[in-house]
Amino acid sequence: MLLMNILLFTVAVVAAPPRFPLPDGFPNPSPAQLLSIQKAAGGFFPSTPLARNLTPTAIAAIQLLANNEFYEAAFFSELLTNLTTNVPGYRPKDIYPLDHGLLIKSITAIKNQEELHAIGANAILASAKQQPLAPCQYTFPVTNFKNAILFAQTFTDLALGTVPEIQLQFALDGGDEPRNSVTLGSILAQEGQQDGFFRYAQRKTPSAAPYLTGGAVAFAFDLLQKLIVPNSCPKPLSDLGFKAFESSLWIETPKPEPSWPSWLSVLPPKNATLTFSSVGLEDGGSGKYSLVYLSGQNAPLAVPTLNYHREPGSTIASFHAEFPFETNFANGLTIAVVTLGNGPFKDAAAVANATISGTAVIEVN
């Protein structure tokens, strides 16, 4: 899944990504290990009954959620290792003025909380007589604490935008599924607490905006594929049944760090002209395509693709698009994709249905 992207950008990893099972037994801990995980996480599994009947759509959503939680558990496990073994870029002097001891305590709690989220998602699947999932192998595009905490903020922002869409699907499905919505609401609040910590650690306001960016489940699925080592999943993500976009969208300029993936950029809160590239787009001067932004809880905004260019014989096309931040965009997460036509699109799901190249992510500081 990730092979073409690996050829187009380099992912730098400080330490070898963790192999499963982790030292604490995750993802299949013994009862004693599970008790230790829960104590380190600061709490225990809900004692309320789990749903026993799930629709195929709900099963796919829980499977995606489990995969996302596996990634987060692996990421924070590696981050904790880097912090506790004084890897360059993660030493006390590298994180100053943050307190090193408090940071390790915080990341320890977060790592164990994410493990419980993943184990809980598998418990929901098992309750509905579905096969629990196992982790894949993952890539982490960070080389120091500064990058790691910003990347943690980014994928947490994406989770905060995706979980409400899963809750909505559960509510529409009816049956046993709404009881899962309450549990997901609890997870959503916990992720919000985490995100505030990640932002504060970067000397940002803990909350980015009054209304955070939402996103279709298809965007989370697309981005998760970019962070998984090809052919490493016991159950391929393609089996989940989510839409795979025709090609990837890369942000050519500006780039925050040379080692960062080309689908991610960081911008100041002002208007800008951005350069994007993608594979397989035809003549962009015909108005066939639009660059569509999702920001806050605003309606999707489509802007023209300009100055389309493709070298003879190349499959990669580049183009410019305006980033009109001052037209009611929100701080924090913005999602960008290329669609056929310019809408109007009523919501993120409609954008996902029209997307042919995605998904790019912009963090507005």
Side-chain angles (χ1 to χ4, degrees):
M1 284 178 266
L2 192 61
L3 183 57
M4 288 187 63
N5 291 340
I6 289 177
L7 296 175
L8 292 164
F9 63 81
T10 299
V11 175
V13 183
V14 171
R19 295 280 180 170
F20 296 96
L22 298 182
D24 60 5
F26 177 82
N28 298 302
S30 68
Q33 289 173 320
L34 180 58
L35 181 60
S36 295
I37 292 171
Q38 292 181 112
K39 288 182 176 179
F44 295 80
F45 278 124
S47 58
T48 51
L50 298 174
R52 295 185 178 275
N53 298 301
L54 299 177
T55 65
T57 301
I59 292 169
I62 293 295
Q63 289 174 333
L64 178 63
L65 182 65
N67 276 293
N68 184 70
E69 299 293 357
F70 283 138
Y71 180 85
E72 294 187 12
F75 180 90
F76 290 116
S77 178
E78 185 192 3
L79 177 56
L80 185 61
T81 297
N82 291 339
L83 288 168
T84 54
T85 57
N86 288 318
V87 170
Y90 296 83
R91 295 167 294 189
K93 69 176 185 179
D94 300 316
I95 67 168
Y96 182 82
L98 295 176
D99 180 86
H100 192 251
L102 177 60
L103 181 62
I104 289 175
K105 181 180 179 180
S106 300
I107 299 301
T108 297
I110 290 169
K111 165 193 168 289
N112 285 279
Q113 289 161 4
E114 298 301 347
E115 290 180 1
L116 290 185
H117 290 170
I119 295 170
N122 265 345
I124 294 174
L125 291 173
S127 176
K129 297 181 175 57
Q130 300 296 313
Q131 184 69 32
L133 300 185
C136 310
Q137 296 176 32
Y138 307 103
T139 59
F140 308 128
V142 297
T143 56
N144 54 56
F145 175 75
K146 177 183 176 182
N147 288 355
I149 208 70
L150 176 55
F151 194 66
Q153 175 202 321
T154 300
F155 63 66
T156 305
D157 285 345
L158 289 162
L160 290 171
T162 303
V163 172
E165 294 296 319
I166 298 175
Q167 289 177 296
L168 176 61
Q169 185 62 55
F170 286 169
L172 294 174
D173 284 350
D176 273 353
E177 295 174 24
R179 70 176 64 179
N180 289 333
S181 294
V182 177
T183 303
L184 288 184
S186 176
I187 293 174
L188 188 66
Q190 184 271 346
E191 297 279 351
Q193 290 181 330
Q194 281 185 200
D195 211 28
F197 170 73
F198 301 149
R199 291 180 56 83
Y200 183 77
Q202 301 169 74
R203 307 188 71 174
K204 302 175 183 177
T205 58
S207 52
Y211 300 99
L212 300 183
T213 299
V217 175
F219 302 138
F221 171 73
D222 180 62
L223 290 169
L224 184 61
Q225 291 183 93
K226 294 174 168 62
L227 298 168
I228 290 177
V229 175
N231 303 315
S232 69
C233 294
K235 180 181 177 63
L237 288 188
S238 57
D239 289 355
L240 302 188
F242 292 108
K243 175 183 178 180
F245 302 138
E246 294 178 17
S247 63
S248 293
L249 179 65
W250 302 289
I251 306 172
E252 297 296 335
T253 57
K255 294 270 180 60
E257 298 285 347
S259 65
W260 277 43
S262 293
W263 48 265
L264 175 61
S265 189
V266 179
L267 296 177
K270 62 181 181 180
N271 293 346
T273 301
L274 307 182
T275 303
F276 296 87
S277 65
S278 184
V279 175
L281 298 183
E282 300 171 2
D283 180 9
S286 65
K288 183 177 182 179
Y289 308 115
S290 294
L291 195 286
V292 179
Y293 293 110
L294 297 169
S295 177
Q297 288 295 309
N298 300 312
L301 178 64
V303 300
T305 56
L306 307 171
N307 303 323
Y308 175 91
H309 177 74
R310 182 166 61 184
E311 295 289 342
S314 174
T315 60
I316 300 176
S318 65
F319 59 91
H320 295 154
E322 296 301 315
F323 179 66
F325 177 82
E326 294 168 26
T327 58
N328 299 326
F329 275 40
N331 288 337
L333 177 70
T334 293
I335 294 171
V337 296
V338 174
T339 62
L340 282 172
N342 60 4
F345 303 106
K346 68 175 184 177
D347 54 24
V351 174
N353 288 336
T355 294
I356 59 169
S357 181
T359 305
V361 172
I362 297 166
E363 282 287 353
V364 177
N365 283 332

